Amino acid sequence: FHSFAESKGIGLHYQSPLEEFVMDYDEDKLLKILSNLLSNAIRFTPEGGRVYVLVDSLNRKGEELLEIRVKDTGIGIPAGEQGRIFERFYSLPPTPSKGVGGSLPQSPQRGEEGLGRAASGNAPQSGGLEGAGAGIGLALASELVKLLRGSFAVESRPGAGSTFTVLLPVSRTAAERHTFREEKVEQFAGQFIATDPEPDGEAEALLGGDCEGKPMALVIEDNRDVVHYLRSCLEEGYCVQAAYDGKVGIRMAIELVPDIIISDVMMPEKDGFEVADTLKRDERTSHIPIILLTARATMEDRIMGLERGADAYLSKPFDREELRVSMQKLIELRRRLQERYSRLQSPPAPAQPALEMEDNFVRKVRELVEARLDDPDFSIDEVSDAIFLSRTQVHRKLKALTGLSTGHFIRSIRLAHALRLLQTTSKSVTEIAMDVGFKDHAYFSRVFAAEYGKAPSEMRG
């Protein structure tokens, strides 16, 4: 919720005298409860306001309790309406535009009501409290607190803010498991190394680099907590790299050529729109799917992001399953491109201009190989030098587009020409092998059979 609060000019603070607190808890229900309370607090607090999350432990009549309070300096709720805000689809009645301390704060801008999907209903459409509380968010939070055998209370005054208090009974009967910080940070310490701050930002580089066959995801995000959370969401299925501002993110994307990029919009140096625009215009990175992740969720922002080349646009706070599915579908879509380029022939005219750069890249590599078809010493390095890209950049882009490594792609082009010569000429197998750059006749026969399922002599026209 940091980005959501920041986008509205609101300070978000966490305060607790507890360094740690061990108890049984339901992660999913507690997340939904806090998401509702924080969404509402931020939505109904004017610019320059404050939202606090206060956590402590209490002992009442011999019962140990966990106390969670979400306090804001927002528009407040009239005393007569506080008992009804937990009712489903309840909407506060219209109020005068003047209240305690003068004009009531204006409602969130258009589009912001969609940020907290679990929050209660629609934001007020005009100054004041009209429409506040409409929906099922607070009703859901209240029911979830009851399921956890806890209690839910609200204190509020119009113009002076609100405090929502959740009290949960403490039990310790479940098997203990490590917290995020103990488990994840220790795990990440063995895989990632953070550089000292540089003039143009910070980056985190993966040690090793083979990623164990996982697709590589580059996270470009200036909030470290969000980066850590994204890692925890993605680490099982992806090899995660991170950059802490847009300028470094662009540099890392060009150097690493990841399989997918998740970028914040509001960042120092370069914002997410500039990141998407720059990378989609660069031949080295134009094929990479980009997801923009931001609290700026107005329709105008979404359209701008898509116009600058973003493939998807998700609002903060985001649902981890929605992010995971979006990434999976985008990567699957890119894999369908491999069918277009795996035939080793000139692809048809692109149905959409977005494919023109990818067609040109594959065509350039193919033409370089064909021009040196009979040269057995023609190598990947010569391809890289000819198109002014590094060996890694050529390999990762070609692998993303064709499903083949650079070496395999070159060999497949040679073998495709060999097949055509076998079917259209009377040259011997040895002559054809040499014409397509194979010095060793036995090796040529072996890889040809592996590619086409039959020996060269069986493929005669």
Side-chain angles (χ1 to χ4, degrees), residues 48-83:
R50 296 287 182 270
V51 174
Y52 301 89
V53 178
L54 310 164
V55 179
D56 203 352
S57 63
L58 305 174
N59 194 306
R60 289 187 180 175
K61 299 180 181 179
E63 182 182 20
E64 189 177 9
L65 300 168
L66 178 72
E67 179 188 54
I68 302 171
R69 285 185 292 153
V70 176
K71 181 179 180 180
D72 64 64
T73 60
I75 59 180
I77 305 167
E81 306 297 331
Q82 291 175 22

Side-chain angles (χ1 to χ4, degrees), residues 143-218:
E143 289 301 318
L144 291 174
V145 170
K146 289 178 183 177
L147 284 173
L148 298 176
R149 297 181 295 110
S151 62
F152 203 176
V154 59
E155 298 175 29
S156 185
R157 265 191 316 126
S162 305
T163 301
F164 287 83
T165 301
V166 175
L167 292 176
L168 299 176
V170 175
S171 63
R172 298 184 180 90
T173 58
E176 188 173 337
R177 62 181 174 88
H178 291 299
T179 64
F180 168 82
R181 290 196 177 277
E182 291 169 343
E183 184 178 278
K184 301 299 181 190
V185 173
E186 181 179 322
Q187 179 179 349
F188 293 138
Q191 296 180 339
F192 291 86
I193 181 169
T195 64
D196 292 328
E198 301 171 350
D200 59 355
E202 292 185 70
E204 293 194 353
L206 182 71
L207 299 178
D210 61 0
C211 292
E212 300 177 352
K214 295 178 180 178
M216 182 188 294
L218 173 61

Side-chain angles (χ1 to χ4, degrees), residues 130 175 229 267 277 446:
E130 182 178 354
Y229 178 68
M267 293 184 294
D277 189 52
R446 187 165 63 250

Side-chain angles (χ1 to χ4, degrees), residues 341-355:
Y341 301 115
S342 63
R343 292 187 289 270
L344 306 175
Q345 300 170 354
S346 295
Q352 45 189 312
L355 294 179

